[in-house]
């Protein structure tokens, strides 16, 4: 780990706020109890773990502050570029993750006899200095809050200190709340071994051998549906009593017909709407949910395996594209995986933006 910044956070005021190392074990215990799979949780665990390592150093010469690259390298060592790390931390929305779970976190600390908790702080800087992330103590009752002074060494480059407070309910439910979708292009999403012969590296041209194979996946279900309909129609002319085998055949034919019709409808929606959610069988098990997208590349029509994803601005969980219900069953929405019925956002494939869906 690299520590570029000069120590800036003074020791907590005596008899007012406890030091960060005293609260770190409880904070790490709370993080370990969280069961959601989000980038924010991984980064917060890294921040707490690295803070605990520095706190054990004798003399406290090192500062409990870390920039985006420090945190990302702990979780994803392959990301060595600072700009990529900064984007990763920004998209993870650490503030929203802690703010949306503030009540649970504070109750966790209070249940274990603490009168203080830890919150996230971002120290923004100017010039070539990088913004620093750290944890700071605060009282569970507002009356004991203190304001930390800045040292003279910070005056040259510190712009402001940003303690992260809870997000108000008005912000979380406001229709002006926006979301931005990240786009993983065809070729970066790994297909399953079943879909690899069709997609190859992640896409194919409709006017190609793979395109003919794709067309066959639509023609074959339609032929099967026609065969089932013809079989049922011919059975109507048979002059005999209905048996249990006949009833079982009708139920089986209805189920298979419905499944095949859904498959054909998805292919039609792909051509008409340009994007549909990809079936799980098409995506590698190690990959998050993806989509099938139809787009133009020069004069050729391409069908590729892509991914539109985002981070929920309310709770910092992952956002996936899902179909709506009722009269909007053909419309895609961004749904938070932790609260898919409450944290719902519109989806615009062109602008890659959305806002809170009004229901």
């Amino acid at each position: 780990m690299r520590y570029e910044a000069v120590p800036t956070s003074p020791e907590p005021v005596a008899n007012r706020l406890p030091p960060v190392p005293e609260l770190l074990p409880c904070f790490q215990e709370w993080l370990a109890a969280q069961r959601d799979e989000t980038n924010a949780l991984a980064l917060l665990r890294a921040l707490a773990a690295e803070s605990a390592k520095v706190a054990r150093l004798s003399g406290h010469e090192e500062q409990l502050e870390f920039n985006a690259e420090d945190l990302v390298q702990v979780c994803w060592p392959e990301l060595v570029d600072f700009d990529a790390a900064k984007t990763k931390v920004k998209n993870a929305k650490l503030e929203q993750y802690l703010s949306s779970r503030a009540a649970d976190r504070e109750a966790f600390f209070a249940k274990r006899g603490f009168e203080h908790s830890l919150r996230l702080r971002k120290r923004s800087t100017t010039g070539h200095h990088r913004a620093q992330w750290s944890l700071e103590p605060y009282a569970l009752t507002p009356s004991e809050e203190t304001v930390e002074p800045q040292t003279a060494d910070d005056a040259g480059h510190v712009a402001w200190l940003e303690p992260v407070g809870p997000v108000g309910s008005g912000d979380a439910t406001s229709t002006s709340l926006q979301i931005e979708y990240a786009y993983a292009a065809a070729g970066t999403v790994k297909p399953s071994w079943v879909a690899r012969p069709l997609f190859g590296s992640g896409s194919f041209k409709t006017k190609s051998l793979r395109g003919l194979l794709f067309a066959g996946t639509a023609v074959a279900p339609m032929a099967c549906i026609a065969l089932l309909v013809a079989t049922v129609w011919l059975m109507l002319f048979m002059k005999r009593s209905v048996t249990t085998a006949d009833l079982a055949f009708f139920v089986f034919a209805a189920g298979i017909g419905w499944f095949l019709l859904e498959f054909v409808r998805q292919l039609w929606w792909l051509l008409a709407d340009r994007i549909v959610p990809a079936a799980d069988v098409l995506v590698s098990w190690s990959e998050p949910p993806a989509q099938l997208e139809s787009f133009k590349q020069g004069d050729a029509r391409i069908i590729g395996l892509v991914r539109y994803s985002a981070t929920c601005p309310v709770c910092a969980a992952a956002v996936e594209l899902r179909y709506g219900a009722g009269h909007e069953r053909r419309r895609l929405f961004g749904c938070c995986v932790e609260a898919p019925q409450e944290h719902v956002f519109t989806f615009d494939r062109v602008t890659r933006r959305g806002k809170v869906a009004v229901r």
Side-chain angles (χ1 to χ4, degrees):
M1 301 295 294
R2 300 185 306 277
Y3 306 97
E4 301 176 355
V6 178
T8 58
S9 299
E11 291 295 326
V13 179
N15 302 323
R16 298 297 296 275
L17 293 178
V20 172
E22 183 179 324
L23 301 173
L24 265 178
C26 187
F27 185 70
Q28 289 181 294
E29 186 180 351
W30 177 78
L31 290 175
Q34 306 307 303
R35 291 294 176 260
D36 44 70
E37 298 180 1
T38 62
N39 292 339
L41 180 59
L43 290 169
L44 286 170
R45 286 174 175 171
L47 175 59
E50 295 303 314
S51 298
K53 291 179 183 178
V54 175
R56 287 194 291 267
L57 297 177
S58 60
H60 296 281
E61 292 92 346
E62 300 291 351
Q63 178 64 36
L64 301 180
E65 290 188 338
F66 308 90
N67 61 45
E69 188 174 4
D70 294 333
L71 299 178
V72 169
Q73 283 184 351
V74 176
C75 304
W76 303 280
E78 66 277 5
L79 292 179
V80 295
D81 180 68
F82 176 72
D83 291 334
K86 182 179 178 181
T87 302
K88 193 82 171 179
V89 173
K90 178 183 177 182
N91 292 338
K93 298 188 182 300
L94 306 182
E95 303 96 328
Q96 282 82 352
Y97 186 91
L98 286 180
S99 297
S100 62
R101 295 160 176 81
D104 176 69
R105 186 179 72 257
E106 292 175 356
F108 190 89
F109 275 80
K111 186 177 180 180
R112 282 151 182 79
F114 290 96
E115 296 181 356
H116 302 80
S117 180
L118 289 178
R119 65 186 176 191
L120 191 67
R121 189 187 71 177
K122 177 183 178 183
R123 184 169 63 85
S124 297
T125 61
T126 58
H128 66 280
H129 299 279
R130 297 175 177 179
Q132 301 290 320
W133 296 87
S134 62
L135 297 169
E136 66 173 359
Y138 71 97
L140 297 180
T141 54
S143 59
E144 298 184 20
E145 291 287 355
T146 62
V147 178
E148 297 184 353
Q150 300 180 21
T151 63
D153 294 335
D154 298 328
H157 63 272
V158 176
W160 59 83
L161 296 176
E162 304 175 53
V164 178
V167 177
S169 58
D171 295 336
T173 58
S174 172
T175 56
S176 62
L177 192 64
Q178 301 242 338
I179 189 172
E180 185 170 349
Y181 293 90
Y183 178 67
T188 60
V189 181
K190 185 179 179 182
S192 65
W193 64 271
V194 176
R196 201 168 295 127
L198 177 62
F199 287 95
S201 60
S203 64
F204 62 87
K205 297 180 180 180
T206 55
K207 294 182 180 179
S208 64
L209 290 178
R210 285 195 172 110
L212 291 176
L213 179 61
F214 178 76
T217 60
V219 174
M222 294 175 64
C224 292
I225 293 175
L227 182 61
L228 287 174
V229 172
T231 302
V232 173
W233 182 74
L234 291 174
M235 290 181 66
L236 296 177
F237 294 94
M238 297 180 65
K239 305 294 184 179
R240 63 181 180 84
S241 302
V242 178
T243 63
T244 305
D246 294 330
L247 295 177
F249 173 78
F250 277 112
V251 173
F252 178 77
I256 293 296
W258 177 84
F259 176 80
L260 294 174
L261 189 61
E262 258 320 286
F263 185 81
V264 173
R265 186 174 65 177
Q266 288 292 319
L267 296 179
W268 167 250
W269 284 3
L270 172 60
L271 298 177
D273 300 340
R274 298 291 185 264
I275 184 171
V276 296
D280 292 338
V281 72
L282 299 179
V283 187
S284 175
W285 285 4
S286 60
E287 291 279 343
Q291 297 83 40
L292 289 177
E293 185 178 36
S294 173
F295 55 91
K296 293 281 287 186
Q297 193 173 74
D299 295 331
R301 171 65 64 179
I302 307 295
I303 293 179
L305 197 61
V306 303
R307 179 181 300 111
Y308 289 88
S309 59
T311 303
C312 179
V314 180
C315 67
V319 172
E320 300 174 355
L321 293 184
R322 301 180 185 180
Y323 277 120
H327 66 282
E328 293 184 331
R329 64 189 181 94
R330 192 170 167 175
R331 184 181 177 187
L332 286 173
F333 291 90
C335 299
C336 169
V337 297
E338 294 299 324
Q341 303 298 325
E342 300 299 328
H343 305 167
V344 184
F345 306 88
T346 60
F347 169 70
D348 190 321
R349 172 175 166 266
V350 178
T351 64
R352 298 178 188 171
R353 294 180 179 273
K355 58 184 180 180
V356 174
V358 180
R359 292 176 288 177

